[in-house]
Amino acid sequence: MAEEVSSQMNSLSISETNPSSSATISLVSGDDIVFKVEPTIAKEMETVQSFIDETDGKITTIPLPNISSHDLPYVIEYCEKSIAGKITKEFEAEFVKKLNNEEVKELFLAANYLNIKKLLDFLSQVIADRIANKSVEYVRRYFGIENDFTPEEEAKLREELAWTFTGVDPDDEDEN
Amino acid sequence: MAPKLLSGKRQKEVENHGGVTDRMSSLPDSVLCHILSFLPTKTSVTTTSLVSRRWRHLWQHLQVFYFAHDSGESVQGSKKFEKFAFFVNAVLAFRKSRDIRKFELSCDIQWSNHRCDCAEMWTRAAINPYLEELTLSMKNCFNTEPVLLPRSLLNCTNLVSLSLVGDIRMNVQGFGVRFPSLKRLKLDADIVDSEIVLLSACPVLETLQHNYFRPGTWAKHHVPPSSQRLNFTDGSFSWTFLEVKRWELLGIIGNLQSMVEACIDFFPAQITESADPILNGIRDPFNGLDIQLHHSTSKVKLYYYGKLHQPPKFCLNVINTIF
């Protein structure tokens, strides 16, 4: 991973010394770092591509205020693999191994903002895997949601759920 | 006092994580629903609906459902299935979005006629013009009629992925079947009445996984035994027919226009050794076929370097034949 980041940084420093060749697209992260990417990468990012299309390709520097320079290389890496048709289960497993919960959320928000369908689906699966078989409280914490049920309401709701979805006779199988 | 604590905690969260959790919580319903659509339906309904008022009804807008039931048939088994059936019925009844894009039903139980009726009814509920993925796995249907898929499935022209495993039947012959979007197909043997008709109806198929390949069922329709050539049936796919050791017939389909990989199961892993003579038998008369054996997976890759401009790639996973 460190290597990939540093290679990303290399390409970054090169691109900074060589002002833009018209073919590349400059993505500017929220903390003002410029990432030069091939137009094919930009195509993967629907939000970026529609911005380019709207200006008839005249504007090739695109500010992405919601995405930090920490997250953008991950997004670019995924898009590169996707274009190369090299998204494999192994790659995805390695990719996600590098990410903690907060980073997964950050990347999910980035993928949602950039409208990258494959990445969004992949990260949705990652999040789903991380909250599956967890308690309601864990899900609340994960998504930063305050419980706005009163304890009575919640108890009643649990009872209703048990009845509605497992038939009369709620019992030991509720956790399944 | 309490609200103050809460805001202090939130402040800390913002400092620590740049407010990422807050931004997650303010995502629109459609995006949260998208995440839910990757969870087992049971979790979406019974866990995430308790998260908050806003989340309570999110699952009702799901267009993706995964139902899985796996019970060793014990004394409790029957009761367990009743509960499962109750759950599936309730979910299908309470959902607000009528369109189902993805439906997965997996039941590993002993089937009774009543249970088959349930499975058939659920499948009917899933069939709609927007259906993109259908995965059905019905195992252990001893002593019962297999689940017959409704003909309306053949009208699901947006279907991209179809996976049918277990005791399921689908009749396609004579119905003018057409799956113009189907890219992935997984089938057990004896599910469709004619694999040829089905495959002819899938012009953009990319991945075919066929378990329990039985040469006879593939061969008898189209290719005369004397023919050992690459044949085109109706132009939508090609067919290589091989005669191995005089009595054993092996058909290989390929070049389904955009097919990337085909897996056909042909013999169980424990008799992999027996494959070698067969494969040599295949290799000899067909110099154009480059056969690679992968003992570890019992998979065999076949590459055809024929007259076609782009050599189609076959992956032959050999299982279950009579030697």
Side-chain angles (χ1 to χ4, degrees):
Chain A
M1 177 53 214
E3 280 165 26
E4 274 160 29
V5 167
S6 67
S7 77
Q8 198 65 256
M9 296 313 251
N10 284 341
S11 67
L12 179 67
S13 56
I14 291 163
S15 65
E16 273 172 354
T17 49
N18 295 332
S20 69
S21 74
S22 61
T24 58
I25 307 288
S26 301
L27 304 175
V28 187
S29 70
D31 44 350
D32 287 330
I33 309 281
V34 181
F35 292 82
K36 299 251 175 193
V37 297
E38 294 298 315
T40 47
I41 301 277
K43 261 210 169 76
E44 293 285 294
M45 309 170 178
E46 271 186 44
T47 308
V48 171
Q49 188 56 36
S50 63
F51 190 84
I52 295 167
D53 292 343
E54 272 169 31
T55 58
D56 291 328
K58 283 180 192 133
I59 293 180
T60 54
T61 301
I62 291 133
L64 302 171
N66 293 338
I67 303 169
S68 75
S69 60
H70 176 265
D71 302 322
L72 201 47
Y74 287 110
V75 176
I76 293 169
E77 184 193 352
Y78 192 91
C79 289
E80 280 170 349
K81 286 276 180 188
S82 173
I83 292 166
K86 287 182 180 162
I87 304 279
T88 58
K89 291 253 180 293
E90 293 75 26
F91 167 73
E92 290 193 328
E94 279 301 309
F95 189 84
V96 74
K97 224 190 264 174
K98 296 180 261 180
L99 306 172
N100 63 32
N101 269 344
E102 297 307 311
E103 287 169 326
V104 168
K105 286 187 256 185
E106 286 283 5
L107 284 184
F108 179 84
L109 290 163
N112 182 47
Y113 173 70
L114 292 170
N115 206 353
I116 308 168
K117 197 180 174 307
K118 276 184 202 154
L119 184 58
L120 194 68
D121 281 357
F122 166 55
L123 292 168
S124 296
Q125 182 68 64
V126 172
I127 292 174
D129 292 345
R130 290 190 183 187
I131 62 173
N133 303 317
K134 292 289 200 304
S135 66
V136 176
E137 291 72 24
Y138 184 91
V139 179
R140 281 186 194 128
R141 277 202 305 278
Y142 194 96
F143 287 94
I145 300 157
E146 283 172 38
N147 180 10
D148 54 3
F149 293 119
T150 64
E152 295 77 26
E153 276 176 327
E154 193 177 329
K156 188 162 172 280
L157 201 59
R158 278 180 194 266
E159 197 179 313
E160 266 177 34
L161 275 175
W163 191 89
T164 312
F165 294 104
T166 58
V168 287
D169 202 19
D171 62 15
D172 47 67
E173 276 133 32
D174 283 352
E175 79 277 7
N176 292 329
Chain B
M1 195 60 205
K4 211 173 181 182
L5 272 172
L6 207 61
S7 68
K9 190 182 160 205
R10 184 174 273 184
Q11 184 99 38
K12 204 174 163 194
E13 244 170 34
V14 171
E15 282 163 12
N16 284 352
H17 313 304
V20 59
T21 309
D22 276 358
R23 284 196 286 142
M24 286 297 281
S25 69
S26 54
L27 284 168
D29 284 0
S30 59
V31 179
L32 294 177
C33 221
H34 189 74
I35 297 175
L36 294 191
S37 69
F38 289 85
L39 282 168
T41 304
K42 180 113 186 169
T43 308
S44 295
V45 174
T46 58
T47 304
T48 62
S49 68
L50 286 164
V51 162
S52 73
R53 286 177 201 278
R54 182 185 165 204
W55 280 57
R56 185 176 165 186
H57 300 292
L58 272 183
W59 73 266
Q60 292 180 332
H61 300 278
L62 282 175
Q63 298 185 333
V64 174
F65 296 94
Y66 304 100
F67 296 111
H69 181 66
D70 179 9
S71 73
E73 198 70 17
S74 59
V75 186
Q76 291 289 312
S78 164
K79 201 172 152 199
K80 261 190 165 177
F81 182 83
E82 289 310 312
K83 286 190 169 190
F84 173 71
F86 206 103
F87 173 75
V88 177
N89 288 338
V91 168
L92 293 176
F94 284 123
R95 77 203 147 103
K96 292 234 168 69
S97 171
R98 304 318 294 174
D99 307 327
I100 295 182
R101 286 191 301 104
K102 198 169 168 181
F103 190 85
E104 189 173 321
L105 174 66
S106 163
C107 292
D108 191 357
I109 53 168
Q110 277 186 23
W111 292 86
S112 63
N113 286 335
H114 163 67
R115 292 173 177 190
C116 284
D117 287 347
C118 287
E120 200 182 321
M121 181 175 69
W122 298 331
T123 309
R124 275 181 196 281
I127 290 171
N128 76 98
Y130 300 97
L131 189 66
E132 291 167 16
E133 293 189 31
L134 180 65
T135 303
L136 300 175
S137 174
M138 319 252 182
K139 293 187 181 157
N140 291 335
C141 304
F142 307 121
N143 310 322
T144 53
E145 287 291 307
V147 176
L148 181 67
L149 297 184
R151 266 179 64 181
S152 50
L153 177 62
L154 306 182
N155 296 329
C156 293
T157 51
N158 284 312
L159 209 60
V160 175
S161 172
L162 178 64
S163 171
L164 304 174
V165 174
D167 291 282
I168 302 168
R169 294 290 173 276
M170 180 164 89
N171 293 329
V172 294
Q173 238 165 350
F175 294 140
V177 55
R178 190 163 152 71
F179 290 121
S181 317
L182 197 70
K183 290 188 175 168
R184 295 183 297 278
L185 177 63
K186 182 176 176 183
L187 279 182
D188 270 0
D190 298 332
I191 284 185
V192 288
D193 52 350
S194 168
E195 274 105 350
I196 305 276
V197 168
L198 178 60
L199 289 168
S200 304
C202 309
V204 298
L205 196 67
E206 288 177 359
T207 304
L208 168 69
Q209 195 177 345
H210 193 281
N211 298 324
Y212 310 114
F213 175 73
R214 288 178 194 170
T217 62
W218 291 77
K220 65 186 175 196
H221 300 290
H222 277 265
V223 191
S226 57
S227 164
Q228 293 190 345
R229 306 288 302 171
L230 201 64
N231 285 281
F232 290 85
T233 49
D234 62 357
S236 69
F237 65 90
S238 59
W239 173 266
T240 304
F241 190 80
L242 307 169
E243 191 179 323
V244 183
K245 289 188 182 174
R246 279 197 307 237
W247 70 89
E248 191 57 55
L249 304 175
L250 170 66
I252 301 169
I253 50 142
N255 192 33
L256 285 109
Q257 291 181 2
S258 53
M259 176 175 283
V260 183
E261 184 177 299
C263 288
I264 301 170
D265 290 342
F266 190 19
F267 62 77
Q270 63 265 32
I271 53 164
T272 307
E273 307 78 36
S274 324
D276 290 338
I278 298 263
L279 289 165
N280 290 333
I282 296 170
R283 191 182 282 123
D284 290 341
F286 286 90
N287 296 325
L289 282 174
D290 174 19
I291 300 164
Q292 297 178 4
L293 248 183
H294 297 262
H295 278 288
S296 57
T297 59
S298 87
K299 277 198 176 177
V300 183
K301 290 211 173 199
L302 290 179
Y303 296 95
Y304 177 75
Y305 299 106
K307 290 171 187 163
L308 301 168
H309 295 300
Q310 286 185 326
K313 186 171 131 192
F314 304 104
C315 173
L316 184 68
N317 189 9
V318 185
I319 227 176
N320 192 29
T321 194
I322 316 131
F323 296 110

